[in-house]
Amino acid sequence: MTMEHFNEVSINMNEKVFIDGELKESTKASVSVFDHGLLYGDGVFEGIRVYNGRIFKLREHIKRLYDNARAILIDIPMSPDDMEKAVEETLKQNRKSDGYIRLIVTRGKGSMGLDPSSCKKPSVIIIVTDIQLYPRELYEQGIAIVTASSRRVAHDALDPRIKSLNYLNNVMAKAEAARAGCLEAVMLNAQGYVAECTADNIFIVKNGVLMTPPPHHGALDGITMRTVMEIARESDIDYQFQPLTRYDLYTADECFMTGTGAEIMPVTEIDARKIGDGKPGEVTRSLVEAFRSLA
Ligand code: PMP
């Protein structure tokens, strides 16, 4: 598989996009050039999966969206219940049984300065589209990743739990991964501790215990991460938030990343070091299997 293959994107002109209370054809759905979401990355978003016509963890995604909006002083102009209905209706209109939902709230149109008070009404956008998945065989083989030099924003600058529209550090880290011939990169925080991958949380398994960096170390409070913890609890696997260094990654028994798009992806090589025996480990495999039965 080449990077080009993975990055191919299909744009379906028949998709219907929800924008500020209306469903429009995707080619006619647009935001103002004065929207602070565009001008300053001022907004929040969610990525959600649809499996067999079922929206996976919709409540959890909507809760995170509203918490994030509250944290950045955006008052979403509809209730969480109405948001849920709007997401369901947009999915229905797009007649997709498997796909991806992108839910976006921007600060809205305002004047050219940063002042958010010039933006009178946040915009709500719901896109239902296809998802570009990792090829199936990678879940059997695992992937190689590298450490990126682009760091996560410090938690005291912007809380990493806020899934904001500003992903520039992560975009740069993703570009570094591609330059190294990898599909993903691991990002460190300002102190050099492991934070997460560019769009996924990272876990290691050491002596049978699952460990992932805590949010204040630069990790998003991932919904897939929380799902993995639930599976672990039910399977009597110990898990904990744990500050991790690159040494911990290199010497882990197993490693995997979690995210809405990737689900649970084994990581078998980091910065040219083989993880464990270089194959997806037993704990990772059992989690992948358990996750698939939920999704
Ligand atoms: N970290 C980052 C930076 C992300 O953007 C995402 C979402 N793709 C994740 C982790 C994983 O979160 P979730 O499981 O909620 O998709």
Side-chain angles (χ1 to χ4, degrees), residues 122-149:
S123 266
V124 176
I125 300 162
I126 305 168
I127 302 167
V128 176
T129 188
D130 293 323
I131 180 163
Q132 207 64 44
L133 299 170
Y134 283 117
R136 191 87 181 177
E137 63 269 19
L138 291 185
Y139 291 88
E140 307 301 324
Q141 297 159 14
I143 62 167
I145 65 174
V146 285
T147 306
S149 61

Side-chain angles (χ1 to χ4, degrees), residues 221-236:
D221 198 339
I223 286 164
T224 319
M225 174 191 95
R226 292 284 176 186
T227 307
V228 163
M229 289 176 170
E230 268 171 47
I231 297 171
R233 192 166 51 238
E234 282 161 14
S235 322
D236 282 329

Side-chain angles (χ1 to χ4, degrees), residues 64 163 167 170 196 198-201 220 222-224 258-260:
R64 184 167 68 185
K163 200 166 159 54
Y167 257 52
N170 299 44
E196 60 179 354
T198 67
D200 298 292
N201 291 105
L220 184 78
I223 286 164
T224 319
T258 62
T260 291

Side-chain angles (χ1 to χ4, degrees), residues 8 16 45 121 127 192 197 210 228 294:
E8 263 173 34
K16 296 264 193 314
F45 75 101
K121 191 162 181 245
I127 302 167
C197 293
L210 285 179
V228 163
L294 289 180

